[in-house]
Amino acid sequence: MQLRRIIPWIMLAVLLVLPPVLPRYYLYLLASIFVIALLATSLNFILGFGGLLQLHHAVFFGVGAYTFSILLLKTPLPFVVAVVAGPVAAAFTALLIGWFCVRSRGLYFGMLTLALGQLVWAVIFRWSALTGGDDGLHGIPVPEVFNSLKTAYYVTLTVLTVCLAVLYLILKSPFGLTLMATRDNPVRSESVGINIRRHRLAAFVIAGFFAGIAGVLFVLVEKSVSPSLLSWSKSAEIMIMCLLGGLTTFYGPALGAGIIVFLSMKVGTYTEYWLLVLGIILLVLVLVLPQGILGFLAEKYSGRGGDKGGWGKDASG
Amino acid sequence: MRKRFNLHYLAWTVIVMLVFGVLLTGCGQATPPNNSGAAGSGGSKFKVKVGYIDSLSGPAAAYGKSTEAGIKIAIDEVAKAGGPTIELVERDDSFKPDLAEASAKELVMNQNIDILVGTINSASALAVSKYAKDNKVLFINSDSMSEKITGAQGHRYVFSIVGNTAMIGKAGAYQMSKMPYKRYWLAGSDYEFGHSVVNSVWTNLQQMKPDVQKINESWWRVGESDFSSYINAIRAAKPDAVYVGSGGGDTVAFLKAINQSGLNKEVPIFIHAATDHDSLRPLGQDAPEGVYGTAFYFNYFPDNAMTKSFGEAYKKVTGNYPGFAGLNGYLTIKFLAAAIDKAGSTDKEKIIDALEGLSLDTPVGKGTIRKEDHQLMLPMVFGKTVKSANLPYLITTDNVLIPADKIMPSVEEVLKTRKK
Amino acid sequence: MLQVKQVAKAFSGFQAIAKADLTVPKGQVVAVIGPNGAGKSTLFNLITGHLRPDKGHILFKGEEIGGLSAHDICRKGVARSFQLINIFPRLNTFENVQVAVLARYRKTNKLFTPARKLVVEETNDVLHKLGLIPYRERLCNSLSYGDQKVLELAIALGSQPEILLLDEPTAGMSPEETRTIVKLIKNLAQNEGLTILLTEHDMDLVFDVAERLMVLHQGQTIAEGSPEEVRRDKAVQNAYLGETG
Amino acid sequence: MDAGALGSQLVLGLSRGMLYFIVAAGLTLVFGVLRIINFAHGSFYMLGAFLSFTVTEMMGKQNPNGFWLALVVAPLVVAAFSIMIERGLLRFVYGQEHLIQMLLTYSLVLIFGDLVKMVWGTEFKSVSVPGIFIGNLSLAGIIIPVYYVFMLVVGPLVALGLWLFLTQTVTGKICRATATDRQMVDVLGINSTRVFGTVFALGGWLAGLGGALMAPMVNIGMGMDTSMVVYAFLVVVVGGLGNIWGTLISALILGVAEALGVLFLPNLAIVVPYVVIGILLIIRPSGLLKSVW
């Protein structure tokens, strides 16, 4: 129990002192892992803790990234405004999509997020005057300081840490407790006076907001955007990260993101069949380790965490 | 309970073994296959690592794989002829621009490579180009036909070996302006490539032949499976001619639909790359006759020794004759190798200087890299599809070589787009 | 306090409730009885807003609540327990009740205050009342069946209702556990002055705790009144008591 | 705008709708009975097309019987694959959550994508239309390619076959009952998982049939799985998840809407289906017909 509390702090300390000794490339790789880790954690906020089948989370990531890029590239608005606008636009998109989706439950919710997410994708793909269509936007003029990999590393790490802390606080707050209650038992939640639709919508918007932050970070690191950011294969990839790390655990998705991003790079250097490898990993995971790595460890070394029933049995209710 | 845990250990073992297995088997293949016969001849003293990023899987894999084959053939040829030894480091971007950019960074930062080539996806090429600019590494665009690469977003560190949408449009308009048709229907795949080709054709055609009219335009989604309703709408409008700007896979499918509907017998149709071998070969005898098309390359025209030798070399490796994507890869390496020899160095800045204005003989004729915008100027070919007497697929007839100066946008025009 | 008037509900052709009437006076314990499939659970679901009545009125303190959503009805002061265990399996006992208390105080939207510092006293109060304090930190799917049933009740009490609906509170319980529950119910009614509406199989229990009965048969109210009146009612004897002997 | 063009467009729209229906029907059937969102449906479709290519190649490219043989063989092989997947993999996750089941099918998408690339390579491929289907049929100013007439026959035949299967056979009846009320079926002592294999195979067969039917019209290559499966999902959602007749209606609406969009708004045709889908979803968020959900 003690150890579990300390590990995140140790990780943070190690990551803080790493840059001087790390080769450039690994700084970059870690920075992009931080971005994806935030994205995956924001998904897990509603998927693992809210029990909502969000099948197209990359949409909010993309909307955040695109809003930020377009404002920087095509308007004279100051950097700070663009930084704020990205997540806000993502949250607003989440509000729109969520408003339709929370009326249905379980798989139907999932299908609607998928369908509506594809609509957003189509808009971005089509509206080439604004978004550059499938060519994307490149050379986003982010302030000079972000051109240094070290800055990018520390900025992404700081934002990730702060966002994880905030998400953690939210999960431990009455809002989070209630969210988990609606996941565990929607019917009962209603009958103790929780407006589950509104509560789920709020959670959906929060998750969209944090995905938007990840989108902004992505642009800071990569300085370009393209519609593939909000393709559904991207969404599936994030879901795989959550599953790999453990859906019922808080740090699982971040761990999963680290593993998948790192592996995709490593495997990519040896073979063009990375997707096959990913598919096999996923298959094995689903069949024998559905509670994920951290879920498994939690189950093994302490009572709570990845519990037997697994995830979201009642989410379909 | 016991059984459950055993299962978990099994899972862990399988995952760990899988990961290591992939890493290990990968290591075996990691050495590039092309430098075997090279060093022996004691030729050039230059050795260089080139990073190659392309879509080797995903919807455009057909072109990526074809370019890859062209590149490998050129590497062998260059080495045998005593040129630089080129070690190719490949990365698959699966048609995803974010993956392409990440791969570029990995190649540059982790593998210490400062020459990159690729990629069929325009967004990938633009992203890699931008990264190359910021980090002062050389990027030679081998496949992407976006005119932004050497146009609006061009810079010192990017070169393009393949023709672009502006050139395609100008070449198409040049040929169409010689024909009597006035009322046009425009159509295409609804994405950047389709729109820029059609725009370029239409603006150029209006300049060359002011009395042309556009009846309407129609756009289908990339990967459309059913063209009958589009063909019916075109048929109903009774245009004099149709111009189509469609992506690779869509071109094949659209040609098939033309053949089934017989539209080619009612109205002249112009499609860029409809005459390309990669579009016609898959269709066998099911391709429509009489469709006009510009292309970057025919493997049988102009009939010269280089055309033949490259065609045969490519066929030996892949089993098929090459289309334009194969030539792209081939020319990319040829120009790079020539530049290294000319520069007498593998220093990227010197290679860039050497590439500027470099001329080489190619299967399509003499090609020169324009100094000002780093775009390769190469003639284009134009022809009309026809059934072949002895081949199982269609070829072209009435072939024309469109000289490079007729299809290149002027330097001023290009540099003006960069100012904006 | 609660009035059900001429309520009807059908499920794709099947008339679950044809014509139900019920009056629950303030401070009384009222029981709805009837054979299996008489529509007792459906009636409960109609009152608590999990289902929407096709016809008729449901009045709570003179205010129409028929057709309102479940959470709105709960906020007006109607809480219920469920026949089958219906708790939050992956929260601990304390949190299970805390959720209800938080909802009662409209504090579920607080984002940044740690939940463990909020409404602790109120929650502990409820746990104490039902003797669940020893299990405070236990993950509730590790509790015994009987304790889970008690927790079920505790969650309902967490909403601090004015009227409590108990759907088969002793279903599946051992005689000893049943006695505990009966004691709890009596205690709630007498000491807390809570109005209680319950359905129950165990007739001894019903006649022990209920001050008023309503008999539902094939979706219709066939009798309503004091236990003695109902016991003497001919229709009831035919329809219900007669069958069970 | 002459009436002939409008008429042709309507008929073409219907035939396009039939195509969507054939592919989407399997998806919705599997969803209704197994409650699994089968992402691998697109892979089955792709497999059907590639198998059809192989069969026609083996028969000789110009042999008209190749097409017919492919139409029989390809769907059956895909169905066989489906059974293997159901028995070998899916079976073990029936007790699991939706997400887990869904991700299992997604892993198949990844695996099949690369396996197809390994087996068939990346070059574009094409299947010939048999000679009798080349050309147009002309009737009262309405011009339709013969192959589309064929589609217009096959589509309703498939629908009819499904209807007969679901209403006249015991397995079909169990399927319908399972889709409507799983619990009730279990209470009646019918082991509902028993029909899962059959249904999954049927779903695979339909996808394979779709692939084989589309093969003569499309360019067979990488990526045809995902471009189709997303579209099929939209059709299924609009129709009402799990409801085959809803899928039929929504497929036809979308097909006709698209065809009319091409005629009247040719430069915006691509957004028409999305607008239609958006409107339908706003009007009926849970699909056109009552979903079994």
Side-chain angles (χ1 to χ4, degrees), chain C residues 50-68:
Chain C
H50 289 92
L51 293 172
R52 191 179 276 269
D54 298 337
K55 266 191 236 144
H57 300 280
I58 301 172
L59 303 176
F60 178 63
K61 294 196 289 189
E63 190 188 342
E64 174 75 52
I65 57 167
L68 289 184

Side-chain angles (χ1 to χ4, degrees), chain A residues 11 23-27 30 60 62 82-83 86 117 125 131 149 154 187 199 216 227 239 248 252 263 284 302 307:
Chain A
M11 281 292 291
R24 280 191 311 153
Y25 174 64
Y26 287 90
L27 277 185
L30 278 173
F60 308 136
V83 167
F125 189 90
T131 63
L149 267 180
Y154 279 118
V187 176
H199 207 83
V216 170
M239 265 195 282
T248 50
L263 268 188
V284 172
S302 72
D307 30 349

Side-chain angles (χ1 to χ4, degrees), chain D residues 183-230:
Chain D
Q183 272 180 344
M184 189 53 104
V185 172
D186 289 342
V187 168
L188 291 174
I190 300 164
N191 181 1
S192 53
T193 56
R194 210 182 42 143
V195 299
F196 285 8
T198 320
V199 169
F200 200 72
L202 182 60
W205 185 83
L206 284 167
L209 181 70
L213 277 173
M214 296 288 265
M217 299 167 60
V218 298
N219 166 42
I220 302 168
M222 301 290 107
M224 65 187 290
D225 48 351
T226 46
S227 76
M228 179 49 96
V229 78
V230 171

